[in-house]
Amino acid sequence: QVQLVESGGGLVQAGGSLRLSCAASGRTFSSYAMGWFRQALGQEREFAAAISWNGGSTYYADSVKGRFTISRDNAKNTVNLQMNSLKPEDTAVYYCAATAYWYGNNWPRVRENGMHYWGKGTLVTVSS
């Protein structure tokens, strides 16, 4: 069992920045690839960013590439998402998730059943 808890969500103006964090417990954190997903009101959950177990590889959705940066600190059992140049379209509940697999170029196609563990989410609201 792995428990994931997101934090750092809130209200931010368009063009601003926000940093999300995910704290993991229950298992060896470094054994898992980690991903951030987001779900806007009335929309399905979509992939945003992923990082491999050792941080050596990252992958981003086209919609966030160049603006978001995913990172992890295995010593602290945390994964972060630095979000810059935020847009109103980024408004969503952001979820942290863990998996034993690395999906490579298929990350944008990963859905909820492709991840082994999920956090409860944190709300990010970007105003115009």
Side-chain angles (χ1 to χ4, degrees), residues 12-18 83-87 126:
V12 64
Q13 190 174 355
S17 298
L18 206 61
M83 306 185 295
N84 299 326
S85 302
L86 283 163
K87 307 174 181 179
V126 184

Side-chain angles (χ1 to χ4, degrees), residues 9 18 20 28 32-33 35 37 40 43 58 68-69 74 77 92 99 119 123 128:
L18 206 61
L20 305 183
T28 303
Y32 298 91
F37 295 72
Q43 305 296 316
T58 59
F68 291 9
T69 302
N74 288 344
N77 290 348
T99 180
L123 178 63
S128 300

Side-chain angles (χ1 to χ4, degrees), residues 2-126:
V2 173
Q3 297 185 58
L4 304 172
V5 180
E6 304 93 337
S7 63
L11 176 64
V12 64
Q13 190 174 355
S17 298
L18 206 61
R19 180 175 176 268
L20 305 183
S21 294
C22 175
S25 63
R27 289 289 184 181
T28 303
F29 178 72
S30 61
S31 297
Y32 298 91
M34 302 294 297
W36 284 97
F37 295 72
R38 63 187 188 179
Q39 186 168 15
L41 183 64
Q43 305 296 316
E44 66 178 1
R45 197 168 300 184
E46 67 176 12
F47 167 77
I51 187 167
S52 61
W53 67 273
N54 63 352
S57 298
T58 59
Y59 201 94
Y60 298 92
D62 289 341
S63 58
V64 308
K65 193 177 301 180
R67 299 188 298 120
F68 291 9
T69 302
I70 188 171
S71 62
R72 69 190 299 161
D73 187 340
N74 288 344
K76 297 181 179 179
N77 290 348
T78 59
V79 60
N80 303 309
L81 186 68
Q82 178 65 47
M83 306 185 295
N84 299 326
S85 302
L86 283 163
K87 307 174 181 179
E89 308 93 89
D90 296 318
T91 296
V93 175
Y94 283 71
Y95 298 89
C96 177
T99 180
Y101 310 117
W102 181 253
Y103 291 103
N105 292 334
N106 292 319
W107 270 110
R109 304 175 69 90
V110 174
R111 301 295 179 260
E112 293 181 48
N113 62 359
M115 307 298 288
H116 293 86
Y117 304 100
W118 289 91
K120 299 297 183 182
T122 185
L123 178 63
V124 172
T125 302
V126 184

